[in-house]
Structures are given as structure tokens and as C-alpha cells.
Amino acid sequence: MREGSTMNVLERDALDLLFTSLKERGFTLVGPTVRERAIVYDEMFSAADLPWGWTDRQEAGTYRLERRADDAAFGFTVGPHAWKRFLFPPVQSLFRAERSGSKMALRPAGPFAARYALIGVRACELAAIDRQDKVFLGGTYVDPVYRQRREGAFVVAVQCGQAGGTCFCASMGTGPRAGSGFDLALTEVLEDGRHWFLVEEGSERGTEVVATLPVRAATEEEIAAAGRAVERAEAEMGRTLDTEGLRELFLRNYENRHWDRVAERCLGCGNCTMVCPTCFCATVDDVTDLAGQAAERVRRWDSCFTIDFSYLHGGSVRSSIAARYRQWITHKLATWTDQFGAPGCVGCGRCITWCPVGIDLTEETRALRALDHGAPAAPQGGAS
Amino acid sequence: MPPRAKPKLAVWKFASCDGCQLSLLNCEAELLRLAGAVDIAYFPEASRAMAKGPYDVSLVEGSITTPHDAERIHQVRRASKLLITIGACATAGGIQALRNFKDVKDFIRAVYASPQYIDTLGKSTAIADHVRVDFELRGCPINKDQLLEVVTALLQGRKPATPPDSVCMECKRHGLVCVLVAHGTPCLGPVTHAGCGALCPVYHRGCYGCFGPKETPNTASLSRAWLGLGATEDDVVRAFRSFNAYAEPFRRESEAHERVQITE
Ligand code: SF4
Ligand code: SF4
Ligand code: SF4
Ligand code: SF4
């Protein structure tokens, strides 16, 4: 926790007042809720919509919603949705064009603004939003959809009290403790028959919201209890990734028989990129009406696993699944750093859990290292 | 722009259930606009229109199962500038291609009192096995929005936006929870061509593969995942052997698992 930031205690039963306060400020609440036997991010109306008493069990290619022994609201790890769904919508109209006589009028879509309060953003997800900020806001061309939605967002982070079976944020240096990038951060504590939240302020807006809540200053013992909760998460990480020389490892192994071995399993389905909180690729379709009087340009999420993704004149550059998997992992763990100054992976584990055949980038990296001739041999296979 | 003569559209039926033509009739409001944009010159299912060719666009439903149809499709091709197949029958032989895995004479003897009157081919085949096809629209039945997109695109002279990637891509854009990963329900989505809007996962069911194989499908890997979820070899054979049983990647996969069953 940051030096000098204010720490307050909010009792469990008062959590809904935070929701009310955000609604009164004009925010649309989105956060974790149970749907289709999973904890997804969706619109919420009150704290009652939180997954109280639910958790998840995740392994490569499997996710199961389960009951907890206690009544925790945030006692789970990241699920099938990422916040990019709200900041970078999966399908988005960009503009329309209409013909009248010999003239054509362009009508930009928008405004794209939305005022979301993102409730329950984890440390790895704050890092992912930061990575997407660099992509959409960082260069010469700023994405207006993302910008308007991002600027409007109020971020309520939640410190992880447990880690999932596929998490490895500690390896990527993105968690489990959220240090900045939020308006408020909550740590949920269930200890000695008490259930309360430590509330940390990260912005002036956050401080204003806290002023409307029935909080009291946290004691040193309470701050220590919250700290212990996050330490538990750190100790529980389900996966690890050795990041030493990662970029060079991939760049010198464009040719490696390992890619063909992955391709025997990889479905080229694109699920890994769709669930990834940092993947930003999209394509556009131009659609017209039957009479040829109106046209619309629509953007939709795309993936480097589709054959059309690398279609150039005459065909697809990456026609094999091996080439597409190599592109994906090399972008995530190596070339992203060249483009944006940090890896495209924040260690959230989604691509591992939601791959229908359980392909695990931490295992694939380990296997590639074992076959790598340009570096000292490392032991093959097995979790470290 | 100078007014153009309205393009002539024909709709043809071969061996099929009429479901894809019904998708066209289900276009409702858009159907009126379609009728405004094209001259529906031949569409026996819907009207008495029987205008003579040539036609600018022919939509062909159904597979080739009789010697007579094998002739007729050549006439349709000759009369059409653009020939578009609609649906799994026309594109892959349809559910009736299940006959291709057996001896059709056995079926005829079992079903008909006077088998000598039945004139049928040993296999149900796709239109593209007989004539050149300009565009294939997938689905059993086709999705009406995709059909409108194809017709509209061709009228405007652009490529239709009917991506050949997986149903998973649509499933994820919708924000659905994966039934395979979260429920352990076998799903064909990862090897199936998009276009339905992930209709089955919307209802928490696994995909049945109505739209046939996606581009570069890895059916062998998905079958291993199914077996891991507790599906039997027979389940795998049946899954790949439905509406698109004779689409090449699905056919090979079902045959591979049939062989496993026989050797077991
Ligand atoms: S990994 Fe693939 S989908 Fe993701 S950002 Fe990179 S190229 Fe795009
Ligand atoms: S690559 Fe995988 S683990 Fe890394 S951020 Fe994306 S989904 Fe999470
Ligand atoms: S790694 Fe897994 S999720 Fe990604 S494309 Fe391959 S099979 Fe699909
Ligand atoms: S439910 Fe089926 S279609 Fe949807 S992501 Fe999972 S495997 Fe793919």
C-alpha cells in the first residue's frame, strides 16, 4: 500500500452504499456476478449482485464455479470476461455513409462515451488496462472509442486474497497487489468472525466518494490483516513463468520443431486472444444496404488465429496453425515489448483456462527453452 | 447514378428440406426490400414466377442425389451468371449424405415395396462436385442475415462479410461463457465455421456443427478433448456425421473414429 494514502474500514453491510454513491454520480456499474455457471462481468444494480459465497476452480482448459465455505464477495479470481469488453467493445459501428443524389454524407458514429464504474478490477487487470492505454492512446493515432470510455471510467480495484490455478501475475510483476491506477481499492477481510473491507484511496475522485460513506480510519492491526490476505494470494500462484531472456528466446526460435508440436493440439479457435485482457486486434467490415444508398463500417474483435487475419493479396501469410501460434506467443512475450515497452502478457491465466484443449503458454515457453540451442539447456516439462 | 436494370434472381431446389428457402422467406421486411432491388424471376417455392433465364444470380438449395438432378444442375449453371449455393445440402451433401457411408441399395430394399422404380445415385454430393460455384453460404439452415449480406454484397459488387473462422469467435464476442470449459459440455464450436451467431452456446448447448468445417479445422485435437470430457468414440462419430457429414474434414474425422470402434 502506498505511503501516506488514507486507509479506512467499511463494514460488509455498508458496501452497498458505495454502489449507491457511484450510481448517484452517474456511473453505470459493471462488475462480477454469477451467470451461466461462471463469474462474469456484467451490469450490476446493487452489491447484492456480487457473487457472495461463490468461488471458481481453474486449471488448463477447465473452469468450475463452486460454493465457498464463507460469504466472501470477491473470493474468486479472474473469469471469462476482461474489462476490455467495456472499454473496447467487441462490435462497434465506426461511421455511416449515406448517398443522396450525387452526394455522399459521412456520419460518424458516437458519441462513444460511457461512464462505467468498473468494480472489482484486479492488479493484473489494472496492468492490462495500462497496456491497452499504451496501444489505444499512446501513439500518433488515438482511438476515440477507447479514449471516451476510458476517460469516463471510475476504477474500483480489489486486492486479491487468493490466486487461481492458472494465475502467474507474480512472475510478470503485475500483482497480486494493486499499487496504483485505481480510484479506490478494496481489500476484503474475513477474520475472527468479522467481515469488512479496507478502503484505499487512489485519486481525488476516490476520496470524494469515500467522504459519502460510513467509514472509520483503519487501525494498524486492520491494515496488517489486509496485508496478510494479499500475501496469501502471492503464496498460492498456480503457475510461474521464467521471464529471463524471454524476448531473445522467442526471437531466435522462429524456426523450431516445437511449433509443429503445439499445432497438433492447437485448434486455431482464437479463444485465447478473445479472453486476453491486452489483445487489441480488430478488423472492419463495410456493410451496405440492399439499395446501395447507405453503408456502415463496423469494427469487430479479430485474432491472429484466424486465416483472414494475415490475408494479403493472393493469400494468407500464416496459413498453418503452427505459424499462428508462434505469432501469438511471440507477440505476447517478445515483440510487444519492442512496440509498447512491456510484455503483452500480465499473467492473468485466462488464455490457459479458456483454451478448450488447455494449451498453457507457461508450459509451452518451458518446452521451447528445453529445445533452445542458443541458451544453456533447462530441464524439460513439469511445473516448477 | 444511372438507374440500373434490376438483376434477375432465381432460386433452385435440389435434394433438401426447403429450410434454407424458408430462411429467405423469413426475411420478412427485408424481403420486400429485396423484391424492390432484384427481379425475382424464378422461385417456385414462393411464387408462380417462372421467367426464363438467363439469370444474374442463382441461389441453389439441395444436393445432387439423382441422375436427373445431375443433369439439371448443368442447365442451371448454364443459365446463371453467378451461382451461389445455400446451406449444408448444397455445400456438403447434407444429412442425406449419410447414405454415402453405406450401400444405398440396402436402404432402397428396406424402405420401398417396389425398389425397381427408384432411380437414385449411390452418393449425395455437393453442387461444387458437379459445376463451378461462385460462392458457398454455409448453415443448416442458413442464417437469413448472412443471406441478405451475400445478396447485397453481390449487388454492390463487393466481397460478402461471412468470415470462415470459428464459432468460438462469435461466442466470445457475445460474451458467452464457454460451455466446454465451464460446464464440460462437448462443443464443436472450435472446428465449426462461424455464421450462426453461436446460437447453441447462447442456449448453453454445445455447437452441433451446422455450418460445417471452419478454415483449417483441427478436428483430431478437438476429438481428443471430447474423449477427455467423457464422450465415447461413437459420440465423436455421430457428432461429425450429421448435416455436414461429407464435408471433407468432418468425413475424415468420423471415419477415423469409426475405425477405432471397429478395432476395439
Ligand atoms: S497476440 Fe494476436 S490477437 Fe493478440 S494483440 Fe497480438 S496479434 Fe493481436
Ligand atoms: S496472454 Fe494469457 S495469461 Fe497473459 S495476459 Fe493474455 S490471457 Fe492473461
Ligand atoms: S491456443 Fe487454445 S484457445 Fe488459442 S487458438 Fe489454440 S486451441 Fe484455441
Ligand atoms: S462454447 Fe463452444 S463455441 Fe463457445 S467458445 Fe466454447 S467451444 Fe467455442
Side-chain angles (χ1 to χ4, degrees), chain A residues 88-285:
Chain A
F88 166 49
V91 181
Q92 174 72 55
S93 173
L94 297 178
F95 64 79
R96 285 178 64 81
E98 275 154 33
R99 182 157 32 210
S100 61
S102 59
K103 288 206 183 68
M104 189 175 78
L106 279 187
R107 299 189 199 294
F112 307 111
R115 294 191 71 219
Y116 288 120
L118 311 179
I119 296 175
V121 184
R122 307 303 179 117
C124 64
E125 301 183 304
L126 288 170
I129 292 172
D130 183 62
R131 306 285 146 101
Q132 287 211 327
D133 285 353
K134 293 209 171 60
V135 173
F136 290 122
L137 311 176
T140 317
Y141 302 102
V142 167
D143 186 83
V145 180
Y146 186 87
R147 183 175 59 78
Q148 291 180 33
R149 291 174 162 245
R150 179 74 174 95
E151 282 172 355
F154 186 98
V155 176
V156 181
V158 163
Q159 305 287 8
C160 287
Q162 66 188 75
T166 57
C167 293
F168 58 103
C169 64
S171 299
M172 301 312 290
T174 56
R177 188 187 302 281
S180 62
F182 52 78
D183 294 295
L184 292 175
L186 307 176
T187 312
E188 183 171 33
V189 185
L190 289 102
E191 250 185 35
D192 309 327
R194 280 184 67 210
H195 188 171
W196 51 277
F197 296 89
L198 186 78
V199 185
E200 186 183 347
E201 292 152 28
S203 72
E204 261 173 48
R205 290 198 304 177
T207 304
E208 281 165 29
V209 170
V210 171
T212 67
L213 301 177
V215 292
R216 61 170 172 75
T219 64
E220 270 184 26
E221 173 41 36
E222 282 167 332
I223 293 171
R228 284 195 295 275
V230 186
E231 277 159 24
R232 269 198 300 278
E234 181 130 25
E236 280 179 357
M237 286 289 137
R239 294 281 196 281
T240 56
L241 181 70
D242 175 8
T243 55
E244 186 64 35
L246 210 48
R247 180 178 167 279
E248 291 66 32
L249 172 72
F250 286 102
L251 295 189
R252 69 172 167 261
N253 279 292
Y254 276 124
E255 300 300 333
N256 192 303
R257 63 193 159 91
H258 185 62
W259 304 125
D260 291 323
R261 300 206 308 213
V262 187
E264 285 170 18
R265 286 171 286 138
C266 178
L267 303 163
C269 61
N271 274 305
C272 46
T273 65
M274 304 303 266
V275 294
C276 179
T278 67
C279 273
F280 56 81
C281 285
T283 186
V284 290
D285 292 319

Side-chain angles (χ1 to χ4, degrees), chain A residues 78 124 128 166 168 172 272-273 275-279 328 332-333 344-352 361-362:
Chain A
V78 296
C124 64
T166 57
F168 58 103
M172 301 312 290
C272 46
T273 65
V275 294
C276 179
T278 67
C279 273
W328 173 74
K332 301 264 77 163
L333 299 177
C345 174
V346 296
C348 74
R350 283 183 180 86
C351 57
I352 306 173
L361 81 169
T362 67

Side-chain angles (χ1 to χ4, degrees), chain B residues 60-240:
Chain B
V60 176
E61 178 197 84
S63 68
I64 303 299
T65 57
T66 66
H68 173 247
D69 278 356
E71 280 303 311
R72 189 161 62 99
I73 190 62
H74 285 279
Q75 293 166 17
V76 171
R77 177 69 263 189
R78 276 194 295 275
S80 314
K81 271 195 205 148
L82 286 176
L83 190 156
I84 300 166
T85 59
I86 56 171
C89 298
T91 305
I95 190 82
Q96 60 273 28
L98 288 178
R99 69 159 70 168
N100 303 6
F101 298 91
K102 296 271 170 358
D103 185 351
V104 76
K105 293 198 205 84
D106 293 342
F107 292 134
I108 295 172
R109 274 193 295 274
V111 174
Y112 297 99
S114 310
Q116 66 273 24
Y117 296 119
I118 303 299
D119 189 14
T120 190
L121 296 169
K123 286 190 164 40
S124 167
T125 46
I127 300 299
D129 291 345
H130 300 264
V131 296
R132 182 172 55 80
V133 170
D134 298 296
F135 191 85
E136 293 185 326
L137 185 61
R138 306 288 202 88
C140 185
I142 53 167
N143 171 324
K144 68 170 189 177
D145 297 319
Q146 282 210 323
L147 178 63
L148 281 169
E149 164 62 11
V150 169
V151 174
T152 308
L154 294 174
L155 290 177
Q156 306 302 327
R158 64 177 171 85
K159 190 170 167 268
T162 54
D165 44 48
S166 68
V167 173
C168 300
M169 296 287 290
E170 300 189 288
C171 193
K172 283 288 187 287
R173 278 190 217 102
H174 280 319
L176 300 175
V177 173
C178 176
V179 301
L180 192 155
V181 169
H183 309 164
T185 304
C187 180
L188 284 179
V191 297
T192 300
H193 193 293
C196 64
L199 197 55
C200 289
V202 165
Y203 292 100
H204 315 158
R205 319 264 319 229
C207 163
Y208 290 94
C210 306
F211 278 56
K214 76 183 257 293
E215 39 93 357
T216 53
N218 188 344
T219 52
S221 174
L222 186 64
S223 295
R224 284 195 294 273
W226 274 48
L227 296 171
L229 293 172
T232 62
E233 294 286 345
D234 189 47
D235 294 335
V236 174
V237 173
R238 282 165 189 274
F240 284 105

Side-chain angles (χ1 to χ4, degrees), chain B residues 19-51:
Chain B
C20 290
Q21 295 189 62
L22 280 178
S23 298
L24 179 58
L25 295 176
N26 272 341
C27 289
E28 293 164 4
E30 298 98 325
L31 192 61
L32 288 176
R33 277 198 291 275
L34 181 68
V38 300
D39 171 12
I40 301 180
Y42 183 90
F43 192 3
E45 168 96 12
S47 78
R48 260 177 259 143
M50 292 281 190

